[in-house]
């Protein structure tokens, strides 16, 4: 299969607007070639540092610029985080993702604790992912040495729509963070959000930036906005589930070997829409009843969803060794 990095925005917009049956057929062909076992990765999330963030991301309940109910809380310590990682592994997770509501990573004790968490999660046989804002080359190198599998830093939307969503950090700064992660040899997890008032052309613009990153990000989270009270986006109309499926399908076609992860927003999506998203080529979900601060489907519901769709969860190294 040819993997391209030169998609134009027009080509991508045309894919987003294909008749649904044609789009699903194309996505299926790519997906079945790239992932013949139809394995789905289960990734559990934990917010290590919640709330009180200096950035003004319009969607985020953790921003100090917004008046959501999320109160700033002290950071979790290493031992309880590893306890949660162990529990996630017991529940069947393959990757454990940890989030910090920071503009950028702070050196000193909090960073040393982050490194200890990464080492501990890896020692449990799980993939480790961190999302904590911008970082320096030195911090990226130390995270790589600690065994970090992947760093999540999203572009969120198109370069044009971005300034309507975030003003305290530029698109260019985000791209530079992604470069630092790559230079350190850490896997890249980078995606965005739909349902923030963007046009189809904006969605194509986001996908174009992602699909021209060489090599493609190893994982691409597709979030549907969770419109949280107290954020400037609290009144956004929920995204049409079929548009969410289209976004997943086009991400799959453009980035055949990347994990396309169904991220925020699944709690309010029907079982049928989620099955359609799996059909469209999604091969990962966030697994566990909370994301960072908002809800996610229960573990039992997700197990039932995978069984219904007839797809298997990826096994962790620990399970494989058994
Ligand atoms: N502070 C770090 C950062 O911004 O990179 C890490 C945490 S941040 C919460 C991770 C990502 O979660 C954001 O980039 C955004 O894409 C997603 N996110 C946050 N709030 C969301 C919401 N209400 N709905 C959908 N996605 C959301
Ligand atoms: C991503 O793209 N989505 C996840 C993860 N990466 C860190 C976070 C979703 C957060 C949804 C809002 C909340 O729970 O606070
Ligand atoms: Fe802070 Fe990240 Fe939320 Fe933006 S998305 S306000 S950077 S925690």
């Amino acid at each position: 299969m040819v993997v391209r990095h030169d998609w134009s925005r027009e080509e991508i917009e045309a894919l987003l607007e294909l008749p649904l049956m044609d789009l699903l057929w194309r996505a299926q062909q790519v997906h079945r070639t790239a992932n013949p076992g139809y394995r789905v990765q289960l990734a559990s999330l934990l917010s290590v540092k919640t709330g009180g963030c200096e950035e003004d991301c319009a969607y985020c309940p953790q921003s100090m610029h917004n008046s959501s109910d999320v109160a700033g809380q002290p950071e979790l310590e290493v031992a309880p985080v590893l306890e949660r990682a162990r529990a996630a592994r017991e529940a069947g997770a393959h990757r454990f993702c940890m989030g910090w509501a920071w503009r950028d990573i702070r050196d000193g004790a909090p960073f040393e604790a982050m490194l200890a968490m990464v080492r501990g999660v890896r020692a449990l046989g799980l993939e480790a992912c961190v999302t904590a804002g911008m970082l320096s080359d030195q911090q990226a190198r130390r995270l790589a040495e600690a065994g970090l599998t992947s760093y999540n830093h999203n572009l969120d939307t198109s370069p044009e729509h971005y300034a309507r969503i975030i003003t305290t950090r530029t698109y260019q700064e985000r791209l530079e963070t992604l470069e630092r992660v790559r230079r350190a040899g850490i896997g890249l997890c980078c995606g965005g959000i739909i349902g923030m008032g963007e046009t189809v052309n904006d969605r194509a613009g986001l996908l174009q930036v992602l699909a021209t990153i060489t090599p493609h990000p190893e994982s691409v989270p597709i979030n549907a906005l969770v419109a949280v009270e107290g954020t400037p986006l609290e009144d956004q109309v929920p995204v049409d589930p079929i548009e969410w499926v289209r976004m997943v399908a086009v991400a799959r076609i453009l980035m055949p070997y990347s994990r396309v992860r169904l991220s925020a927003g699944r709690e309010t999506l029907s079982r049928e829409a989620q099955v359609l998203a799996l059909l469209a080529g999604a091969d990962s979900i966030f697994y566990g009843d909370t994301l960072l601060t908002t809800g996610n489907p229960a573990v039992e519901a997700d197990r039932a969803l995978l069984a219904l769709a007839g797809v298997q969860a990826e096994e962790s190294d620990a399970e494989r060794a058994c």
Side-chain angles (χ1 to χ4, degrees):
M1 189 166 30
V2 182
V3 178
R4 289 177 52 190
H5 296 87
D6 62 350
W7 293 92
S8 72
R9 193 185 279 214
E10 292 68 33
E11 282 178 292
I12 297 171
E13 197 169 355
L15 286 173
L16 282 167
E17 289 181 332
L18 275 177
L20 186 62
M21 295 304 130
D22 297 339
L23 176 58
L24 289 175
W25 171 239
R26 282 193 59 174
Q28 267 281 297
Q29 285 174 307
V30 172
H31 194 41
R32 294 233 171 221
T33 307
N35 181 356
Y38 232 109
R39 292 281 181 153
V40 171
Q41 186 190 51
L42 305 181
S44 290
L45 253 180
L46 177 67
S47 181
V48 176
K49 165 68 183 77
T50 305
C53 182
E54 309 96 295
E55 299 279 8
D56 69 352
C57 310
Y59 48 77
C60 186
Q62 303 199 67
S63 166
M64 55 163 53
H65 302 263
N66 301 339
S67 57
S68 316
D69 280 344
V70 174
Q73 283 164 31
E75 250 172 87
L76 298 181
E77 290 182 9
V78 178
V81 169
L82 295 182
E83 221 20 75
R84 294 286 290 271
R86 188 186 299 278
R89 187 187 69 175
E90 299 315 312
H94 184 249
R95 168 174 288 202
F96 192 68
C97 310
M98 297 165 279
W100 279 257
W102 282 344
R103 172 175 165 75
D104 45 22
I105 294 185
R106 288 135 206 217
D107 277 324
F111 185 49
E112 299 307 319
M114 180 188 289
L115 294 170
M117 290 171 198
V118 170
R119 284 187 216 104
V121 169
R122 298 296 284 138
L124 288 169
L126 291 165
E127 292 187 359
C129 180
V130 162
T131 183
M134 296 184 281
L135 40 52
S136 65
D137 282 317
Q138 157 107 343
Q139 288 165 338
R141 191 176 48 72
R142 291 199 63 205
L143 282 165
E145 282 165 8
L148 186 67
T149 315
S150 181
Y151 195 83
N152 166 243
H153 196 66
N154 290 340
L155 288 167
D156 283 342
T157 189
S158 69
E160 297 79 10
H161 192 57
Y162 185 85
R164 275 178 239 136
I165 304 296
I166 299 145
T167 69
T168 50
R169 162 160 68 191
T170 65
Y171 213 77
Q172 185 55 34
E173 283 175 312
R174 291 202 183 240
L175 293 168
E176 284 162 15
T177 300
L178 301 177
E179 274 167 30
R180 287 204 184 93
V181 170
R182 267 277 155 84
R183 264 204 301 276
I186 300 168
L188 207 57
C189 172
C190 183
I193 309 177
I194 63 168
M196 300 195 296
E198 73 287 342
T199 61
V200 173
N201 186 266
D202 285 314
R203 290 179 193 163
L206 166 65
L207 287 169
Q208 191 203 10
V209 181
L210 293 171
T212 46
I213 295 175
T214 309
H216 292 147
E218 282 74 15
S219 48
V220 179
I222 304 291
N223 294 277
L225 176 73
V226 179
V228 182
E229 213 181 308
T231 65
L233 299 181
E234 64 182 358
D235 293 325
Q236 279 295 319
V237 177
V239 71
D240 179 337
I242 298 298
E243 291 190 26
W244 175 71
V245 168
R246 285 182 177 279
M247 192 73 184
V248 169
V250 177
R252 169 53 62 223
I253 293 167
L254 303 181
M255 296 169 278
Y257 293 100
S258 303
R259 279 190 202 280
V260 176
R261 179 168 302 120
L262 304 179
S263 301
R266 280 197 307 118
E267 208 183 17
T268 51
L269 285 163
S270 71
R271 207 172 56 141
E272 292 77 4
Q274 296 184 58
V275 169
L276 215 48
L278 292 170
L279 190 75
D283 61 356
S284 176
I285 58 172
F286 278 124
Y287 178 66
D289 52 14
T290 41
L291 293 164
L292 292 174
T293 65
T294 64
N296 195 48
V299 160
E300 301 72 33
D302 277 342
R303 287 259 160 221
L305 176 77
L306 298 186
L308 170 78
V311 297
Q312 302 242 312
E314 195 90 47
E315 286 178 350
S316 68
D317 291 347
E319 279 171 312
R320 235 175 264 128
C322 293

